[in-house]
Amino acid sequence: MLKEKYGKLAASFLFFVIASFLQLNFKAFFGWSPEFAMAALVVFGFYLSVLEMGVLSFFGIFLFNWRVLPGWEILFFFLIPFFMMFARKIFPWRNDFNCVLGTVFSVFVFYAVFGLQGILGNPGVFMWILAATAFFGAAVFRLLNYFYKISPI
């Protein structure tokens, strides 16, 4: 049990680092990037405990924003996985559908609140961002689902 728990946390850190590098490389190559890191955090909300999710979210904040005083975007980035962790118990659908829906919802709300000009300025790119983020979230969910059980919270 303990070995599986630490293996799951280590795999989550590894997936998060890979998602972060993919996101940064996408941005450098295409000029826009899907929210792979946010999708990874939403997916990990299905597999990790609250404490493990907190550690991973703090790691994500440190990775993306190393300043002492975080902004509202960083606070949202920290809280959305916890929201999805508890919202999945409310929604009656299958967990894989909840994961994709939660990923799309989190990216849409993030852009609607903090980057509305990104949605209104180029809706085609925003749709690509949503599609690529949902696909990445679904792929990570299926991969983790193959190896680990979903956390009961």
Side-chain angles (χ1 to χ4, degrees):
M1 173 74 177
L2 192 60
K3 185 177 180 181
E4 179 184 332
K5 186 175 184 177
Y6 287 125
K8 187 170 30 173
L9 187 60
S12 299
F13 270 101
L14 181 66
F15 270 118
F16 186 75
V17 169
I18 290 170
S20 301
F21 285 125
L22 274 175
Q23 183 172 333
L24 293 175
N25 286 329
F26 236 84
K27 179 80 169 174
F29 189 71
F30 292 113
W32 59 273
S33 66
E35 299 294 331
F36 291 143
M38 188 178 300
L41 285 178
V42 168
V43 170
F44 298 145
F46 286 84
Y47 292 98
L48 299 178
S49 69
V50 174
L51 182 62
E52 293 167 335
M53 194 70 236
V55 169
L56 190 63
S57 293
F58 273 123
F59 176 72
I61 288 172
F62 177 73
L63 190 64
F64 283 115
N65 184 20
W66 50 270
R67 294 177 294 188
V68 177
L69 297 173
W72 290 108
E73 298 92 356
I74 297 299
L75 182 63
F76 181 84
F77 186 79
F78 177 76
L79 291 178
I80 195 67
F82 293 103
F83 173 74
M84 292 312 301
M85 181 183 284
F86 295 112
R88 72 182 167 99
K89 293 293 186 180
I90 297 170
F91 297 117
W93 306 298
R94 291 175 31 140
N95 283 326
D96 50 356
F97 183 71
N98 281 342
C99 178
V100 171
L101 188 65
T103 302
V104 170
F105 173 76
S106 65
V107 171
F108 183 79
V109 169
F110 184 78
Y111 274 86
V113 172
F114 300 112
L116 191 58
Q117 71 277 8
I119 297 173
L120 300 176
N122 200 343
V125 170
F126 180 68
M127 289 300 152
W128 277 107
I129 289 172
L130 281 179
T133 304
F135 178 76
F136 181 79
V140 170
F141 181 85
R142 295 312 272 162
L143 188 63
L144 286 176
N145 200 32
Y146 183 75
F147 293 107
Y148 302 109
K149 292 187 293 188
I150 292 181
S151 172
I153 296 183

